Amino acid sequence: MLEISAIDVGYGRSTVLHGLTLGVPGEGITAVLGHNGAGKSTLLRAAAGLLKPKRGSVRLFGEDITRLAPHERVRRGMAYVPQGQQCFPHLTTMENLRLIADGRRDGAAALADALDLFPALVPLAKRRAGLLSGGQRQQLALARALITRPRLLLLDEPTEGIQPSVVAEIEQKIVALGSSIAILLVEQHLRFVLSAAQRYHVLAAGRITASGDADPATETTVRAALAV
Ligand SMILES: Nc1ncnc2c1ncn2[C@@H]1O[C@H](COP(=O)(O)OP(=O)(O)O)[C@@H](O)[C@H]1O
Ligand SMILES: [Mg+2]
């Protein structure tokens, strides 16, 4: 579904991703693991269209989208949830959702569907997003992304900075979403990745250094790959 081929991506003159190639199949969860600074967020920004590769190409459903803007990728079925539970802090939960839903033909129905998936947001509808907990803001960020009815969801460290009691709840939602939407998941929590994902890739210094089928039995192998 998503084919990233030999991309060089960076900031200004510095290159962070070096000839990176990665495929995301049309179903299930594909995980990207790696230490801080490895380039995981840079990879998702390039997939979402926020960074343009200096070399290489990005294809979605066979179409070359390398030069397409982020909103044009959203229209083609891609949604991106950045690291850090971003939302508009001065707007309410509902206003944050409406911002995405308004102007979409199926906006009202899509918003209702998103709230069905995240019922915890309903009693928070009138609360300013800046006053929500990290876990609640992450649910809001996921709900916002789902309003665009994506077929591919890019998730950057969705459980980072969330209190441990809520992490399992977010993880369950991601697993449930993965049964109907393809997910490219950046996540540090190795045990969760190996139980939830179908495939994993290890990213180190801007290159894929190991890949394989995700399975809890591979934990030792993956830990060794991460330690290199
Ligand atoms: N906005 C930016 N401007 C310049 N350099 C950046 C920027 N964002 C990230 N980097 C650099 O790119 C490298 C990879 O960062 P990042 O993709 O955020 O890694 P990860 O998500 O794996 O922690 C790091 O060396 C980081 O300092
Ligand atoms: Mg990151």
Side-chain angles (χ1 to χ4, degrees), residues 128-157:
R128 276 164 55 171
L131 299 176
L132 302 180
S133 71
Q136 291 165 340
R137 271 209 310 281
Q138 188 62 58
Q139 297 196 43
L140 175 56
L142 289 166
R144 279 164 55 96
L146 292 175
I147 289 175
T148 65
R149 299 206 189 275
R151 287 186 284 173
L152 170 65
L153 197 50
L154 311 171
L155 296 183
D156 199 350
E157 305 217 23

CSV table of all heavy atoms in Angstrom, one decimal, residues 128-157:
chain,number,residue,atom,x,y,z
A,128,ARG,N,-11.7,22.3,27.4
A,128,ARG,CA,-10.6,22.7,26.5
A,128,ARG,C,-9.5,21.6,26.4
A,128,ARG,O,-9.1,21.0,27.5
A,128,ARG,CB,-9.9,24.0,27.1
A,128,ARG,CG,-10.7,25.2,26.6
A,128,ARG,CD,-10.3,26.4,27.5
A,128,ARG,NE,-8.9,26.6,27.5
A,128,ARG,CZ,-8.3,27.7,27.9
A,128,ARG,NH1,-9.1,28.7,28.5
A,128,ARG,NH2,-7.0,27.9,27.9
A,129,ALA,N,-9.0,21.3,25.2
A,129,ALA,CA,-8.1,20.2,25.0
A,129,ALA,C,-6.9,20.4,25.8
A,129,ALA,O,-6.3,19.4,26.3
A,129,ALA,CB,-7.8,20.1,23.5
A,130,GLY,N,-6.4,21.6,26.1
A,130,GLY,CA,-5.2,21.8,26.9
A,130,GLY,C,-5.4,21.3,28.3
A,130,GLY,O,-4.4,21.2,29.0
A,131,LEU,N,-6.6,21.1,28.8
A,131,LEU,CA,-6.9,20.7,30.2
A,131,LEU,C,-7.0,19.2,30.3
A,131,LEU,O,-7.2,18.6,31.3
A,131,LEU,CB,-8.1,21.4,30.7
A,131,LEU,CG,-8.0,22.9,30.8
A,131,LEU,CD1,-9.3,23.5,31.3
A,131,LEU,CD2,-6.9,23.3,31.8
A,132,LEU,N,-7.0,18.5,29.1
A,132,LEU,CA,-7.1,17.0,29.1
A,132,LEU,C,-5.8,16.4,29.6
A,132,LEU,O,-4.7,17.0,29.5
A,132,LEU,CB,-7.5,16.5,27.7
A,132,LEU,CG,-8.7,17.0,27.1
A,132,LEU,CD1,-8.9,16.4,25.7
A,132,LEU,CD2,-9.9,16.8,27.9
A,133,SER,N,-5.9,15.1,30.1
A,133,SER,CA,-4.7,14.4,30.5
A,133,SER,C,-4.0,13.9,29.2
A,133,SER,O,-4.6,14.0,28.1
A,133,SER,CB,-5.1,13.1,31.3
A,133,SER,OG,-5.8,12.2,30.5
A,134,GLY,N,-2.8,13.5,29.3
A,134,GLY,CA,-2.1,13.0,28.1
A,134,GLY,C,-2.8,11.9,27.4
A,134,GLY,O,-2.9,11.8,26.2
A,135,GLY,N,-3.4,10.9,28.2
A,135,GLY,CA,-4.1,9.8,27.6
A,135,GLY,C,-5.4,10.3,26.8
A,135,GLY,O,-5.7,9.8,25.8
A,136,GLN,N,-6.1,11.3,27.5
A,136,GLN,CA,-7.3,11.8,26.8
A,136,GLN,C,-6.9,12.6,25.5
A,136,GLN,O,-7.6,12.4,24.5
A,136,GLN,CB,-8.0,12.7,27.8
A,136,GLN,CG,-8.6,12.0,29.0
A,136,GLN,CD,-9.0,12.9,30.1
A,136,GLN,OE1,-8.6,14.0,30.2
A,136,GLN,NE2,-9.9,12.4,30.9
A,137,ARG,N,-5.8,13.3,25.6
A,137,ARG,CA,-5.4,14.1,24.4
A,137,ARG,C,-4.9,13.1,23.3
A,137,ARG,O,-5.2,13.4,22.1
A,137,ARG,CB,-4.2,15.0,24.7
A,137,ARG,CG,-4.7,16.4,25.1
A,137,ARG,CD,-3.7,17.5,24.8
A,137,ARG,NE,-2.3,17.1,25.2
A,137,ARG,CZ,-1.9,17.3,26.5
A,137,ARG,NH1,-2.7,17.8,27.4
A,137,ARG,NH2,-0.7,16.9,26.8
A,138,GLN,N,-4.3,12.0,23.6
A,138,GLN,CA,-4.0,11.0,22.6
A,138,GLN,C,-5.2,10.4,22.0
A,138,GLN,O,-5.2,10.2,20.8
A,138,GLN,CB,-3.1,9.9,23.2
A,138,GLN,CG,-2.5,8.9,22.2
A,138,GLN,CD,-1.6,9.6,21.2
A,138,GLN,OE1,-0.6,10.2,21.6
A,138,GLN,NE2,-1.9,9.6,19.9
A,139,GLN,N,-6.2,10.1,22.8
A,139,GLN,CA,-7.5,9.6,22.2
A,139,GLN,C,-8.1,10.7,21.3
A,139,GLN,O,-8.6,10.3,20.2
A,139,GLN,CB,-8.4,9.3,23.4
A,139,GLN,CG,-7.9,8.1,24.2
A,139,GLN,CD,-9.0,7.5,25.1
A,139,GLN,OE1,-10.1,7.3,24.6
A,139,GLN,NE2,-8.7,7.2,26.3
A,140,LEU,N,-8.0,11.9,21.7
A,140,LEU,CA,-8.5,13.0,20.8
A,140,LEU,C,-7.7,13.0,19.5
A,140,LEU,O,-8.3,13.2,18.4
A,140,LEU,CB,-8.4,14.3,21.6
A,140,LEU,CG,-8.8,15.6,20.8
A,140,LEU,CD1,-10.2,15.5,20.2
A,140,LEU,CD2,-8.7,16.8,21.7
A,141,ALA,N,-6.4,12.9,19.6
A,141,ALA,CA,-5.6,12.9,18.4
A,141,ALA,C,-5.9,11.8,17.5
A,141,ALA,O,-6.0,11.9,16.2
A,141,ALA,CB,-4.1,12.9,18.8
A,142,LEU,N,-6.2,10.6,18.0
A,142,LEU,CA,-6.5,9.4,17.2
A,142,LEU,C,-7.9,9.6,16.6
A,142,LEU,O,-8.1,9.3,15.4
A,142,LEU,CB,-6.5,8.1,18.1
A,142,LEU,CG,-5.1,7.6,18.5
A,142,LEU,CD1,-5.2,6.6,19.6
A,142,LEU,CD2,-4.4,7.0,17.3
A,143,ALA,N,-8.9,10.1,17.4
A,143,ALA,CA,-10.2,10.4,16.9
A,143,ALA,C,-10.2,11.4,15.8
A,143,ALA,O,-10.9,11.2,14.7
A,143,ALA,CB,-11.1,10.9,18.1
A,144,ARG,N,-9.4,12.4,15.9
A,144,ARG,CA,-9.3,13.4,14.8
A,144,ARG,C,-8.8,12.8,13.5
A,144,ARG,O,-9.3,13.0,12.5
A,144,ARG,CB,-8.3,14.5,15.2
A,144,ARG,CG,-8.9,15.6,16.1
A,144,ARG,CD,-7.7,16.4,16.8
A,144,ARG,NE,-6.8,17.0,15.8
A,144,ARG,CZ,-6.9,18.2,15.3
A,144,ARG,NH1,-7.9,19.0,15.7
A,144,ARG,NH2,-6.0,18.7,14.5
A,145,ALA,N,-7.8,11.9,13.7
A,145,ALA,CA,-7.2,11.3,12.5
A,145,ALA,C,-8.3,10.3,11.8
A,145,ALA,O,-8.4,10.3,10.6
A,145,ALA,CB,-6.0,10.4,12.9
A,146,LEU,N,-9.1,9.7,12.7
A,146,LEU,CA,-10.1,8.7,12.1
A,146,LEU,C,-11.2,9.4,11.4
A,146,LEU,O,-11.9,8.8,10.5
A,146,LEU,CB,-10.6,7.8,13.2
A,146,LEU,CG,-9.5,6.9,13.8
A,146,LEU,CD1,-10.1,6.1,15.0
A,146,LEU,CD2,-9.0,5.9,12.7
A,147,ILE,N,-11.5,10.7,11.7
A,147,ILE,CA,-12.6,11.4,11.0
A,147,ILE,C,-12.3,11.5,9.5
A,147,ILE,O,-13.2,11.5,8.7
A,147,ILE,CB,-12.7,12.8,11.6
A,147,ILE,CG1,-13.4,12.6,13.0
A,147,ILE,CG2,-13.6,13.7,10.8
A,147,ILE,CD1,-13.5,13.9,13.8
A,148,THR,N,-11.1,11.4,9.1
A,148,THR,CA,-10.8,11.5,7.7
A,148,THR,C,-10.9,10.1,7.0
A,148,THR,O,-10.6,9.9,5.8
A,148,THR,CB,-9.3,12.0,7.4
A,148,THR,OG1,-8.4,11.1,7.9
A,148,THR,CG2,-9.1,13.4,8.1
A,149,ARG,N,-11.4,9.1,7.8
A,149,ARG,CA,-11.6,7.7,7.3
A,149,ARG,C,-10.4,7.2,6.6
A,149,ARG,O,-10.4,6.8,5.4
A,149,ARG,CB,-12.8,7.6,6.4
A,149,ARG,CG,-14.1,8.0,7.2
A,149,ARG,CD,-15.3,7.4,6.6
A,149,ARG,NE,-16.6,7.9,7.0
A,149,ARG,CZ,-17.2,7.4,8.1
A,149,ARG,NH1,-16.6,6.5,8.9
A,149,ARG,NH2,-18.4,7.9,8.5
A,150,PRO,N,-9.2,7.1,7.3
A,150,PRO,CA,-8.0,6.7,6.6
A,150,PRO,C,-8.0,5.2,6.3
A,150,PRO,O,-8.6,4.4,7.0
A,150,PRO,CB,-6.9,7.1,7.6
A,150,PRO,CG,-7.6,7.0,8.9
A,150,PRO,CD,-9.0,7.4,8.7
A,151,ARG,N,-7.2,4.9,5.3
A,151,ARG,CA,-6.9,3.4,5.1
A,151,ARG,C,-5.5,3.1,5.6
A,151,ARG,O,-5.1,1.9,5.7
A,151,ARG,CB,-7.0,3.1,3.6
A,151,ARG,CG,-8.5,3.1,3.2
A,151,ARG,CD,-8.7,2.6,1.8
A,151,ARG,NE,-8.3,3.7,0.8
A,151,ARG,CZ,-8.3,3.5,-0.5
A,151,ARG,NH1,-8.5,2.3,-1.0
A,151,ARG,NH2,-8.0,4.5,-1.3
A,152,LEU,N,-4.7,4.2,5.8
A,152,LEU,CA,-3.3,4.0,6.3
A,152,LEU,C,-3.1,5.1,7.4
A,152,LEU,O,-3.3,6.3,7.2
A,152,LEU,CB,-2.3,4.2,5.3
A,152,LEU,CG,-0.8,4.3,5.8
A,152,LEU,CD1,-0.4,3.0,6.4
A,152,LEU,CD2,0.1,4.7,4.7
A,153,LEU,N,-2.8,4.6,8.6
A,153,LEU,CA,-2.6,5.5,9.8
A,153,LEU,C,-1.1,5.5,10.2
A,153,LEU,O,-0.5,4.4,10.4
A,153,LEU,CB,-3.5,4.9,10.9
A,153,LEU,CG,-3.8,5.7,12.1
A,153,LEU,CD1,-4.4,7.1,11.7
A,153,LEU,CD2,-4.8,4.9,13.0
A,154,LEU,N,-0.5,6.7,10.2
A,154,LEU,CA,0.9,6.8,10.7
A,154,LEU,C,0.8,7.3,12.1
A,154,LEU,O,0.3,8.3,12.4
A,154,LEU,CB,1.6,7.8,9.8
A,154,LEU,CG,1.5,7.7,8.3
A,154,LEU,CD1,2.1,8.9,7.6
A,154,LEU,CD2,2.1,6.4,7.8
A,155,LEU,N,1.4,6.4,13.0
A,155,LEU,CA,1.3,6.7,14.5
A,155,LEU,C,2.7,6.9,15.1
A,155,LEU,O,3.5,5.9,15.0
A,155,LEU,CB,0.5,5.6,15.2
A,155,LEU,CG,-0.9,5.4,14.9
A,155,LEU,CD1,-1.5,4.3,15.8
A,155,LEU,CD2,-1.7,6.6,15.1
A,156,ASP,N,3.0,8.1,15.6
A,156,ASP,CA,4.3,8.3,16.2
A,156,ASP,C,4.3,8.3,17.7
A,156,ASP,O,3.8,9.2,18.3
A,156,ASP,CB,4.8,9.7,15.7
A,156,ASP,CG,6.4,9.8,15.8
A,156,ASP,OD1,7.0,8.9,16.5
A,156,ASP,OD2,6.9,10.7,15.3
A,157,GLU,N,4.8,7.2,18.3
A,157,GLU,CA,4.9,7.0,19.7
A,157,GLU,C,3.6,7.4,20.5
A,157,GLU,O,3.6,8.2,21.3
A,157,GLU,CB,6.1,7.8,20.3
A,157,GLU,CG,7.4,7.4,19.5
A,157,GLU,CD,8.6,7.4,20.4
A,157,GLU,OE1,8.4,7.2,21.7
A,157,GLU,OE2,9.7,7.5,19.9
